[in-house]
Amino acid sequence: MMFSTELALQECVICKKTENLGFNYGVLTCGACKMFFHRVIFTKKVESYCKYNQNCTSKCRHCRFQRCIQNGMLYTPIENLLNANNQDMLSALIFNLSCLDSNRRDKLFSYHLIGDPTIYELAKAGSLKLEERPADYRMDVMEWGYISGIISVDYMYKLPFIKSLEVDDRAVIFRYCYFYLSLLSDSLRAFNSKKAFICFPDGTEVVKLNSPGVTKYFENKIRCRLAGRVNELNITNEEISLLSVILICNPALPNLSSSAKILLASYQKIYTTALLQYCLLTYQKTGPSRFADLLSLFQVVIKTRQDISHHFVICQLNGPPACLKKLFWS
Amino acid sequence: MMFSTELALQECVICKKTENLGFNYGVLTCGACKMFFHRVIFTKKVESYCKYNQNCTSKCRHCRFQRCIQNGMLYTPIENLLNANNQDMLSALIFNLSCLDSNRRDKLFSYHLIGDPTIYELAKAGSLKLEERPADYRMDVMEWGYISGIISVDYMYKLPFIKSLEVDDRAVIFRYCYFYLSLLSDSLRAFNSKKAFICFPDGTEVVKLNSPGVTKYFENKIRCRLAGRVNELNITNEEISLLSVILICNPALPNLSSSAKILLASYQKIYTTALLQYCLLTYQKTGPSRFADLLSLFQVVIKTRQDISHHFVICQLNGPPACLKKLFWS
DNA sequence: AAATAAGGTCACCAGGTCAC
DNA sequence: GTGACCTGGTGACCTTATTT
């Protein structure tokens, strides 16, 4: 929009070429990179690693596709996903989302964002410039919480419709979603590593255990409620991917502008339809109930967040005050 | 570019056939010659001389391959050269480049270009029409300098990506590189003939010795600095081949268009990776430092060119004015 | 009507195969 | 060894749908 008059001065964010530009899949790219992205998500033929090993040229398909994901290219199916003919659209969408997730997973291990930004500052920035964590970076509960929150924000920025919102609307969404998204991703990690409780990648607990003033039972509820439910459900990566996007597309959030509400509602429709269709295809007759079970996970996530906040407040009252990043209270 | 619309009217530059044409390895050829070239550079099975001696038929593999090289067919590896599986790509590339070098060596002995073209005219020409030197052709420093410069330009024209550039960009590259390329090739010749100084093939010095106004020490520095370093390093033909191409792929040259910069940067990456991989394979543990040593040769080459220019200016001031070909000042 | 971003088509080139 | 033929990825160019 703001670009359209200056298109000639811009370049493809994937390959830096300046000819044949346009907004394709939400990102300013050349026609060649548009076709490349389309082909990859519809045929899924892309190497899962970089053959070039750090010394990559523009010809490497893996890295070219990583740049597409990193820059937020996202396929949005427009036709009715419930139509059986459109199954390849559904799988293209799911593949695309699962790439976002693996991008997110990679970053959680080794990236961070310097500083202590407020939510509004994050929303105003337009995108995040994450950096690699130094090798000796000391991680604790607070740092893990901060970094997973930041990476959830980075994740939301990968959705073109989030970028197209006004700053105020984006701030509302970020504030509401960052914690839930982190929890969803924590729960998938717990399931994949066959753990009955959620924790950070290095094993750090999500709350400080044995804190004064809280019962063991309460701490265990925080650690296990969500992981237990996810394990019961035998959740898939694809389901968590779709649930994450659906969570973000919540037009019912307070203080959203009416245009944002309309936009989010339309995307919510697309992604809930996609999840339903995924359930119908994967679970056949039990698809509808599966769909309901998955959506009910939101309640568990919300409850877990409440408990973690609660736990933190109790710790603050009973122990030495901790320094809290602005992300958590701005 | 200009060919694509008239492909039907064209012919294979190797064998003159008109069917099954395409731009293969940067040159308009038929499919058969494409396969022939590919086979030769990947298996290196080609006679080093022409069995038919001047009376060659189209069946001679040696002469067919010479036509491929002469017309600028060049293999460009796109996969990862650092991958051990792709070692045959590296050796194909190196073999291809060494053929360019030997083509260049042959021409230096017996070819020339009539006239006194400017750099821009050379860049605009699209290719050079070299001719055999008459048997009684008198060679002196100036003539040798001119001819090696011209042959360096001819060498650059053998690289398809140079041909694909705009005239202005090509002129920038020619102006910057022709002298350095000649010096690199002079230094290899010095090493191969076990000389401690650089000189032209017939023994002519690269600068007029005992010129008034310059010290013996300065003249000796010009003659020996580069040759000395190359002898110290025990340089190989392959290394000079790769260094020559890397020198040409310099996206940092002033006044290049942005598209030329992008193009050159991508080729620079390919060829520096190839050189690094060559060093790692050939020198094992000392490969990385060898790589650094080789790249540092550029500094010696640059210094030598400066000194030669300097020397020439001093001679001009102190002696009778020499007639200078436009190549050197256009 | 004009502009935009989807998707479709097809000629193109690198490389592989195989009968000759 | 040769070259016709095939394959897979590519990108210029075209059509279509939608918005303004």
Side-chain angles (χ1 to χ4, degrees):
Chain A
M1 196 163 301
M2 60 164 290
F3 295 105
S4 54
T5 55
E6 328 172 5
L7 257 177
L9 307 174
Q10 303 284 326
E11 60 178 27
C12 169
V13 298
I14 309 300
C15 72
K16 310 297 175 196
K17 272 194 200 127
T18 54
E19 306 100 43
N20 196 11
L21 296 181
F23 271 88
N24 300 304
Y25 304 100
V27 172
L28 183 66
T29 74
C30 67
C33 289
K34 173 185 87 169
M35 278 308 295
F36 171 77
F37 180 77
H38 183 270
R39 266 194 294 264
V40 172
I41 65 161
F42 273 86
T43 64
K44 298 195 191 42
K45 294 266 164 57
V46 73
E47 305 79 6
S48 54
Y49 60 96
C50 171
K51 291 186 282 187
Y52 269 87
N53 221 3
Q54 314 292 5
N55 209 340
C56 195
T57 75
S58 55
K59 284 287 174 194
C60 167
R61 301 185 76 244
H62 171 82
C63 290
R64 188 178 184 185
F65 185 62
Q66 287 311 306
R67 280 197 298 280
C68 293
I69 293 298
Q70 175 55 30
N71 283 290
M73 289 183 86
L74 185 74
Y75 166 68
T76 307
I78 35 169
E79 303 282 327
N80 183 4
L81 285 170
L82 290 174
N83 187 324
N85 302 339
N86 295 332
Q87 213 170 310
D88 47 352
M89 290 184 179
L90 178 66
S91 52
L93 169 69
I94 288 177
F95 175 71
N96 195 169
L97 291 178
S98 72
C99 292
L100 285 197
D101 266 7
S102 86
N103 179 276
R104 182 203 156 91
R105 219 170 1 256
D106 293 344
K107 284 182 176 168
L108 185 59
F109 271 98
S110 52
Y111 281 76
H112 75 147
L113 181 74
I114 297 172
D116 182 18
T118 64
I119 297 257
Y120 188 81
E121 284 163 0
L122 290 171
K124 203 175 171 188
S127 71
L128 301 193
K129 309 226 174 315
L130 301 184
E131 299 181 21
E132 281 213 51
R133 292 206 288 268
D136 60 344
Y137 204 86
R138 205 182 62 83
M139 299 298 293
D140 58 12
V141 193
M142 295 304 294
E143 198 59 38
W144 272 117
Y146 169 69
I147 285 176
S148 23
I150 286 296
I151 283 169
S152 293
V153 172
D154 183 64
Y155 176 89
M156 291 188 262
Y157 262 129
K158 299 285 174 286
L159 307 173
F161 61 86
I162 290 288
K163 269 200 195 127
S164 75
L165 290 171
E166 300 294 326
V167 175
D168 288 336
D169 291 323
R170 202 153 57 209
V172 169
I173 296 168
F174 285 178
R175 183 169 296 118
Y176 179 78
C177 296
Y178 78 92
F179 209 113
Y180 296 143
L181 287 173
S182 302
L183 285 175
L184 277 177
S185 131
D186 294 342
S187 71
L188 180 63
R189 194 171 51 249
F191 174 70
N192 283 335
S193 55
K194 303 189 198 312
K195 286 202 173 87
F197 57 94
I198 55 173
C199 63
F200 292 114
D202 66 351
T204 304
E205 296 285 338
V206 292
V207 291
K208 235 178 140 210
L209 294 188
N210 305 315
S211 297
V214 274
T215 64
K216 270 225 170 309
Y217 175 80
F218 183 58
E219 284 181 353
N220 237 29
K221 262 292 170 219
I222 290 177
R223 298 169 71 230
C224 302
R225 184 190 281 114
L226 179 58
R229 184 70 184 127
V230 160
N231 283 320
E232 266 173 43
L233 289 173
N234 268 300
I235 207 131
T236 66
N237 293 10
E238 291 76 15
E239 286 160 347
I240 290 287
S241 293
L242 283 163
L243 282 174
S244 297
V245 187
I246 292 169
L247 179 71
I248 296 165
C249 301
N250 186 350
L253 295 185
N255 301 320
L256 281 179
S257 72
S258 64
S259 64
K261 277 180 190 155
I262 293 168
L263 189 81
L264 289 177
S266 69
Y267 281 97
Q268 189 186 48
K269 207 170 185 176
I270 292 169
Y271 294 116
T272 48
T273 309
L275 181 59
L276 175 58
Q277 178 67 347
Y278 173 86
C279 291
L280 292 173
L281 288 170
T282 312
Y283 305 96
Q284 306 289 334
K285 281 198 170 167
T286 60
S289 73
R290 175 72 176 186
F291 179 66
D293 286 342
L294 291 172
L295 291 181
S296 74
L297 255 192
F298 286 146
Q299 301 315 313
V300 186
V301 169
I302 289 170
K303 180 68 177 149
T304 303
R305 178 184 187 167
Q306 281 176 356
D307 285 352
I308 290 176
S309 297
H310 204 153
H311 185 279
F312 182 78
V313 170
I314 297 171
C315 289
Q316 286 292 82
L317 293 174
N318 288 285
C323 169
L324 200 56
K325 289 268 193 183
K326 295 201 185 82
L327 175 65
F328 298 105
W329 53 270
S330 65
Chain B
M1 197 168 300
M2 60 166 288
F3 294 105
S4 55
T5 55
E6 323 173 9
L7 255 175
L9 308 172
Q10 303 283 326
E11 58 179 25
C12 171
V13 297
I14 310 299
C15 72
K16 309 300 176 195
K17 268 188 206 139
T18 54
E19 308 98 46
N20 195 10
L21 296 182
F23 272 89
N24 300 304
Y25 303 99
V27 171
L28 183 67
T29 73
C30 67
C33 289
K34 173 186 87 169
M35 278 309 296
F36 171 77
F37 180 77
H38 182 270
R39 265 193 297 264
V40 172
I41 66 161
F42 272 84
T43 63
K44 298 192 192 46
K45 297 263 166 59
V46 73
E47 304 77 8
S48 55
Y49 59 96
C50 172
K51 292 184 281 189
Y52 303 93
N53 217 9
Q54 314 290 10
N55 211 342
C56 193
T57 70
S58 58
K59 281 287 170 196
C60 168
R61 301 186 76 244
H62 172 82
C63 291
R64 188 182 186 183
F65 184 62
Q66 287 310 307
R67 279 198 299 279
C68 293
I69 293 297
Q70 174 55 30
N71 283 290
M73 290 183 85
L74 184 74
Y75 166 67
T76 307
I78 36 169
E79 302 283 328
N80 181 9
L81 286 171
L82 289 175
N83 186 325
N85 302 338
N86 294 331
Q87 215 171 308
D88 47 353
M89 291 184 179
L90 179 67
S91 53
L93 169 69
I94 288 177
F95 175 71
N96 195 171
L97 291 178
S98 72
C99 292
L100 285 196
D101 266 7
S102 88
N103 178 276
R104 183 203 156 95
R105 220 168 4 254
D106 294 345
K107 284 182 176 167
L108 186 59
F109 272 98
S110 52
Y111 281 77
H112 75 147
L113 181 73
I114 299 171
D116 182 16
T118 64
I119 297 258
Y120 189 81
E121 284 162 2
L122 291 171
K124 204 175 168 188
S127 72
L128 302 192
K129 310 224 174 316
L130 301 183
E131 299 181 19
E132 281 214 51
R133 293 207 287 270
D136 60 343
Y137 204 85
R138 205 184 60 81
M139 298 299 293
D140 57 13
V141 193
M142 295 304 295
E143 198 59 38
W144 272 118
Y146 169 69
I147 285 176
S148 22
I150 287 295
I151 284 170
S152 292
V153 171
D154 183 62
Y155 175 88
M156 290 187 261
Y157 262 130
K158 298 284 174 286
L159 306 173
F161 61 87
I162 290 288
K163 269 197 198 133
S164 76
L165 289 170
E166 299 293 325
V167 175
D168 288 335
D169 291 321
R170 201 153 57 209
V172 168
I173 296 168
F174 285 178
R175 183 171 296 117
Y176 179 80
C177 295
Y178 79 93
F179 209 113
Y180 297 142
L181 288 174
S182 302
L183 285 174
L184 277 177
S185 128
D186 294 342
S187 71
L188 180 63
R189 194 170 52 247
F191 174 72
N192 283 336
S193 56
K194 302 189 200 312
K195 287 202 174 84
F197 58 93
I198 55 173
C199 63
F200 293 114
D202 65 351
T204 304
E205 295 285 339
V206 292
V207 292
K208 237 181 137 209
L209 294 189
N210 305 314
S211 297
V214 273
T215 64
K216 267 229 173 305
Y217 175 81
F218 183 58
E219 285 181 351
N220 238 32
K221 263 289 171 221
I222 290 176
R223 298 169 72 233
C224 301
R225 183 190 283 112
L226 180 58
R229 185 70 185 126
V230 159
N231 283 320
E232 265 173 45
L233 289 173
N234 268 301
I235 207 132
T236 65
N237 293 11
E238 290 77 15
E239 286 160 348
I240 290 287
S241 293
L242 282 163
L243 282 174
S244 299
V245 187
I246 292 169
L247 179 72
I248 296 165
C249 301
N250 186 349
L253 294 185
N255 303 319
L256 283 179
S257 71
S258 65
S259 63
K261 277 180 191 153
I262 292 168
L263 189 80
L264 289 178
S266 68
Y267 281 96
Q268 188 187 49
K269 215 164 186 174
I270 292 170
Y271 294 117
T272 49
T273 308
L275 180 59
L276 175 59
Q277 179 66 346
Y278 173 85
C279 291
L280 292 173
L281 287 170
T282 311
Y283 305 97
Q284 306 288 335
K285 280 200 172 166
T286 60
S289 73
R290 174 70 177 188
F291 179 67
D293 286 341
L294 291 172
L295 291 181
S296 74
L297 255 192
F298 287 145
Q299 303 312 314
V300 186
V301 169
I302 289 170
K303 180 69 177 146
T304 302
R305 178 185 187 166
Q306 281 174 356
D307 286 352
I308 290 177
S309 296
H310 205 154
H311 185 279
F312 182 79
V313 170
I314 297 171
C315 291
Q316 287 290 81
L317 295 174
N318 288 286
C323 169
L324 200 57
K325 289 271 194 180
K326 294 200 185 84
L327 175 65
F328 297 106
W329 53 270
S330 65

